[in-house]
Amino acid sequence: MKNREVAKILYDMAELLELKAENRFKIIAYGRAARAIEGLKEDIVVICRKGQLESVPGVGKAIAQKIEEYLRTGKIQAHQGLLRETPAGLAELLQIPGLGPKTIYMLHDRLGIKDLDELEKAALDHHIRRLPRMGAASERNILRAIERYKKRSTRILLSNAEPIVEEIVEYLKGIEGLEHITPAGSLRRGKETVGDIDILATASKSDEVIKAFIRMPIVEEVLSKGSTKASVIVQETVQVDLRIVEHKSYGTVLQYFTGSKEHNVKLRQIALDRGYSLSEYSLKRLSDGQDHFFDWEEDLYHILGMQYIPPELREDSGEIEAAFLGRLPELVDLKDIRGDLHVHSEWSDGRGTLEALALEAKNLGYEYIAVSDHSPSIGIAGGLQGDQLERKIEAIHAINETIEGITLLVGTEVDIKADGKLDYRDELLEKCDVVVASVHMAQRQKERAITGRLITAIENDHVDIIGHPSGRIIGKRDPYDVDMQAVLESAASTGTAMEINSYPNRLDLNDVWAKTAKEFGVKIAINSDAHDPSQLKVIRYGVKVARRGWLEKKDVLNSLSLQGLFSYLKH
Ligand SMILES: [Zn+2]
Ligand SMILES: [Zn+2]
C-alpha cells in the first residue's frame, strides 16, 4: 500500500507550509488528510482509481488533485516548490527533537534564524528566552537537543553497532511472545559504518515485546513508543528502532527495510514493469488488486524472475541485472578463510606471544597463520632488526615442532620507505614465507610519488601482499592520493595480492576497490592485522567488505590450503 508514502508527503507539506506561516486552515487540512490516509484500511491507489479520494476525511478537491498527481508521477509540484522556497538550514531544524515548525517559524521571523549554527548561537546568547512562551528551560532543552542531533548524525563503526544489536536480540529472545527477530538496514548489508539501527521482529504479543524493548537496561532514552514500533537511544547517541510486523509480510518488510534505497527503487520499477506495485507490505497485482505477501525474502525475488540477492550486494551496482541472468557471484564466507597472513606478535608492537597466536588461530579452525611483525624503520612500532628477525624465525620453527594442527609462517610487514625502497634487504625477505609490504610514512606524498612507491614494491619479487593499500582510517584519515587503477594493473601483472585489512576502522581496500581489483584479476588477502590474539576475530569485518565487493572464495588468497598457498606465493 502507498498509504504511508502519501501520508508522509502530506505531513511534509503541512510542515513546510507552517515554516512559511501559511494560512492556518490550509496547514490543518494537510495534517488532517495525512492522518486520515495513514489510518485507512483500504489502499489509496484503489480509492483513487475509483475516483473516491474526496470521500476521505480532510481530503478536499485541492488535496485530492495532489494525491492523484503523486500516484501518477511520484511527485507533487507544489511540494517541490515549497522545498525550493524554504532555506535548507530551516528545514534541517525540523530534525531537532522537540522543535516544531511553529517555533521554528517564530525563531526565523523574530530572530532571523536560518540554520543550526544561528539557532545554537541565539540560545547561548540568551536571545530565545525573551520570546513568547519561551524561557531559560527552553534554551537549555534546545542546546541539549542540538548537541544530541550533531552526535547522532555521525555514523558508528559496524564493529560498534554489532554488539549492541546482539545484546538487544539476545535480550528480546527471552521475552515471551517473540517469534522471529533480525536486524535490517545498512548493518544487515554489512556496510562499514551504520547510522540508526533497525530491528524487525514478529511476535504473538507485540505489546509485551515493545514494553520489554523500551525497558531494557541499556536504554537511556525512549524517543517514541507505539503498539508495534518504538525508538530508543543507547550509548548516548545511537538510535535503535524496533518494528513488530505481521508474520505473513515479514519477508517483504525485511526486504524493504534492508535497502539500500537505490536497490529498492530499481526493484519497485521492475515490479511495475511486470504488472505489480511493490510496497513495504506486499506485492500487489495491478490487474486485479490482489495482494501477495511473502514471509521470506527469497520468494519475493523469485516471483520477480530473479535469483535471491544477498543483502551485501543490494546497492544497485549491477546486482539486479546479474540476478536476472542467474550470474550472481557465490560470495566468500567466513568459513572459507583458512588462515591469516598479517598479524603482529610481541616481537614488534603486538601483545601476544607466538604460542598464544598459534593457539588462537588453531581455535578458529585455521590451518596457518603468518606472524608479520614490523620492520625496523618504524621505530615506535618496535620493528625488528635483521638479527632479531633471524631469531624470530628460529622461534617460529621451534613452535611448529611442538604445536600440532596449525602452521606458523614467517611473515613480515615490511615498510615501503619514502623513496619506494623496502626496509629489508632481499636476502632477509628471502627468508620469509609471506611478505606484506605497507606504507606507514610519508603518506602525504603527491599522487605520482606514492603510486610509484607502491608499484615499486609490487614489482619486487619477494612482495606477496600490499597491506592496507589506500591507508585510509575511517573518520580520521583520508586515503593516500594514489592512482589505484595503476596499482591494480601492476598487481595483476605480477600476481601480487592486495589486502582487505579487517581492522574495523581500516577496512581497506574498501568494497568498491575490492570489486575493481577482482575485475582486474587481482587476488585479495583478507587479513586481521591483529595486535592481540583476541583480535584475530575481526576478520569477519573484512569478509563483509569482500562480500560487498562481490568476491568469491577463488578470489581470496587465504582461502587456499597451506599447500595451495605455498604454490601461489612468489617463492
Ligand atoms: Zn601496517
Ligand atoms: Zn600491520
Side-chain angles (χ1 to χ4, degrees):
M1 298 220 290
K2 298 226 169 182
N3 297 21
R4 268 231 235 172
E5 258 173 61
V6 173
K8 170 144 193 330
I9 197 162
L10 296 179
Y11 276 129
D12 247 34
M13 289 188 70
E15 283 187 335
L16 290 166
L17 288 167
E18 203 157 0
L19 284 181
K20 293 186 70 195
E22 275 267 359
N23 178 312
R24 290 272 350 122
F25 296 106
K26 199 167 164 187
I27 298 165
I28 292 167
Y30 275 95
R32 201 167 149 237
R35 265 191 307 283
I37 290 165
E38 213 173 19
L40 281 179
K41 291 259 180 306
E42 209 183 341
D43 191 339
I44 191 86
V45 180
V46 177
I47 299 176
C48 179
R49 200 172 312 128
K50 287 195 253 168
Q52 293 171 349
L53 281 175
E54 286 178 53
S55 70
V56 177
V59 178
K61 195 165 175 203
I63 295 183
Q65 279 172 355
K66 293 192 174 69
I67 295 173
E68 204 252 301
E69 180 187 354
Y70 180 75
L71 294 176
R72 192 162 31 84
T73 67
K75 273 190 201 143
I76 298 176
Q77 286 304 329
H79 177 243
Q80 304 278 317
L82 283 169
L83 282 176
R84 268 195 305 274
E85 290 159 20
T86 314
L90 215 53
E92 190 189 8
L93 295 186
L94 285 169
Q95 309 289 320
I96 308 291
L99 217 53
K102 220 197 273 176
T103 313
I104 297 174
Y105 173 73
M106 179 175 68
L107 291 164
H108 178 60
D109 186 45
R110 299 286 191 92
L111 302 175
I113 289 169
K114 288 186 301 300
D115 57 31
L116 200 61
D117 288 342
E118 291 177 1
L119 175 66
E120 190 169 17
K121 189 166 182 315
L124 287 170
D125 295 345
H126 302 315
H127 292 318
I128 293 175
R129 63 177 65 183
R130 293 200 296 268
L131 296 175
R133 293 185 309 278
M134 303 295 251
S138 338
E139 274 174 355
R140 277 197 303 278
N141 289 342
I142 286 174
L143 286 171
R144 225 181 111 233
I146 291 177
E147 193 189 338
R148 212 167 52 214
Y149 170 76
K150 279 186 177 167
K151 280 200 202 155
R152 196 177 299 165
S153 37
T154 58
R155 299 170 66 88
I156 59 169
L157 290 176
L158 178 61
S159 62
N160 294 336
E162 269 200 341
I164 297 175
V165 169
E166 276 161 23
E167 187 177 343
I168 295 174
V169 167
E170 267 325 295
Y171 185 90
L172 292 181
K173 275 185 178 166
I175 304 301
E176 211 199 306
L178 184 95
E179 289 156 359
H180 300 287
I181 183 159
T182 179
S186 47
L187 185 124
R188 183 162 181 250
R189 301 202 311 281
K191 276 199 82 160
E192 58 202 22
T193 60
V194 173
D196 293 348
I197 295 175
D198 293 304
I199 300 178
L200 300 182
T202 62
S204 57
K205 299 175 183 164
S206 60
D207 277 8
E208 296 298 314
V209 176
I210 293 282
K211 227 187 270 170
F213 174 67
I214 61 171
R215 287 186 190 154
M216 286 184 307
I218 59 165
V219 168
E220 288 160 14
E221 195 179 338
V222 177
L223 296 177
S224 68
K225 175 199 167 291
S227 56
T228 58
K229 191 198 156 197
S231 301
V232 299
I233 297 286
V234 302
Q235 294 189 3
E236 281 182 79
T237 58
V238 184
Q239 181 173 337
V240 185
D241 297 343
L242 173 69
R243 283 186 180 78
I244 313 276
V245 306
E246 276 187 83
H247 195 283
K248 66 172 181 188
S249 49
Y250 191 52
T252 329
V253 184
L254 180 58
Q255 196 288 321
Y256 179 86
F257 281 105
T258 297
S260 67
K261 205 193 251 167
E262 293 74 16
H263 176 89
N264 285 356
V265 164
K266 195 167 240 178
L267 210 61
R268 251 176 288 165
Q269 187 53 51
I270 283 163
L272 273 180
D273 294 345
R274 303 191 155 221
Y276 294 99
S277 152
L278 176 61
S279 73
E280 58 189 279
Y281 291 110
S282 75
L283 188 68
K284 185 192 288 294
R285 196 159 53 206
L286 293 169
S287 56
D288 57 5
Q290 202 194 335
D291 278 313
H292 297 259
F293 298 101
F294 300 96
D295 43 2
W296 303 116
E297 279 181 317
E298 283 84 346
D299 302 337
L300 172 60
Y301 283 100
H302 291 160
I303 203 166
L304 292 174
M306 59 179 91
Q307 279 178 293
Y308 170 70
I309 301 178
E312 294 93 334
L313 298 183
R314 299 183 196 167
E315 300 291 343
D316 188 22
S317 55
E319 75 280 7
I320 288 176
E321 294 76 359
F324 270 121
L325 298 170
R327 287 196 193 145
L328 284 177
E330 202 166 303
L331 298 180
V332 62
D333 200 78
L334 189 57
K335 66 175 177 357
D336 297 325
I337 301 297
R338 299 176 77 164
D340 195 330
L341 301 174
H342 180 178
V343 310
H344 297 268
S345 75
E346 60 179 14
W347 283 78
S348 66
D349 60 346
R351 281 176 296 275
T353 59
L354 297 175
E355 290 89 338
L357 283 165
L359 290 173
E360 186 57 32
K362 189 176 160 180
N363 232 345
L364 292 174
Y366 289 168
E367 257 181 77
Y368 51 84
I369 178 169
V371 188
S372 308
D373 284 302
H374 289 290
S375 60
S377 72
I378 316 185
I380 46 162
L384 274 63
Q385 299 293 341
D387 55 329
Q388 289 174 298
L389 179 62
E390 308 253 13
R391 272 188 282 129
K392 188 180 120 177
I393 293 173
E394 281 167 30
I396 285 177
H397 289 157
I399 284 172
N400 280 334
E401 297 290 309
T402 55
I403 301 182
E404 294 274 296
I406 182 86
T407 303
L408 275 188
L409 301 175
V410 177
T412 178
E413 182 178 15
V414 65
D415 199 49
I416 305 171
K417 296 200 277 193
D419 59 3
K421 291 208 181 78
L422 296 180
D423 201 18
Y424 283 136
R425 286 170 289 117
D426 280 356
E427 299 87 78
L428 275 175
L429 296 176
E430 178 83 51
K431 294 181 180 165
C432 298
D433 301 311
V434 178
V435 175
V436 180
S438 313
V439 166
H440 296 103
M441 281 173 299
Q443 302 182 20
R444 292 279 139 252
Q445 282 179 337
K446 293 239 159 23
E447 181 182 305
R448 259 183 71 148
I450 210 146
T451 307
R453 266 164 94 187
L454 284 169
I455 290 177
T456 308
I458 285 168
E459 286 171 348
N460 183 303
D461 283 341
H462 298 287
V463 172
D464 302 299
I465 300 165
I466 297 295
H468 42 77
S470 87
R472 70 96 178 249
I473 294 187
I474 298 170
K476 285 214 185 98
R477 193 167 72 206
D478 288 337
Y480 319 134
D481 193 2
V482 59
D483 179 352
M484 196 57 84
Q485 300 264 359
V487 167
L488 293 177
E489 244 165 65
S490 162
S493 71
T494 55
T496 312
M498 289 284 129
E499 179 177 75
I500 291 179
N501 188 299
S502 309
Y503 222 70
N505 64 358
R506 283 196 182 268
L507 300 179
D508 169 24
L509 294 176
N510 67 13
D511 47 7
V512 175
W513 280 118
K515 188 172 184 221
T516 313
K518 175 189 170 139
E519 285 157 11
F520 274 83
V522 174
K523 272 249 192 303
I524 297 285
I526 307 175
N527 295 328
S528 71
D529 201 359
H531 284 66
D532 186 293
S534 68
Q535 291 174 342
L536 288 175
K537 290 197 194 79
V538 301
I539 214 148
R540 51 184 282 109
Y541 303 114
V543 170
K544 292 207 193 241
V545 173
R547 290 172 65 87
R548 290 177 55 80
W550 295 51
L551 300 195
E552 302 184 86
K553 186 178 170 189
K554 64 175 164 50
D555 304 312
V556 177
L557 182 60
N558 47 325
S559 72
L560 292 170
S561 66
L562 183 58
Q563 223 181 356
L565 178 73
F566 272 134
S567 49
Y568 187 87
L569 294 172
K570 283 188 184 168
H571 83 274

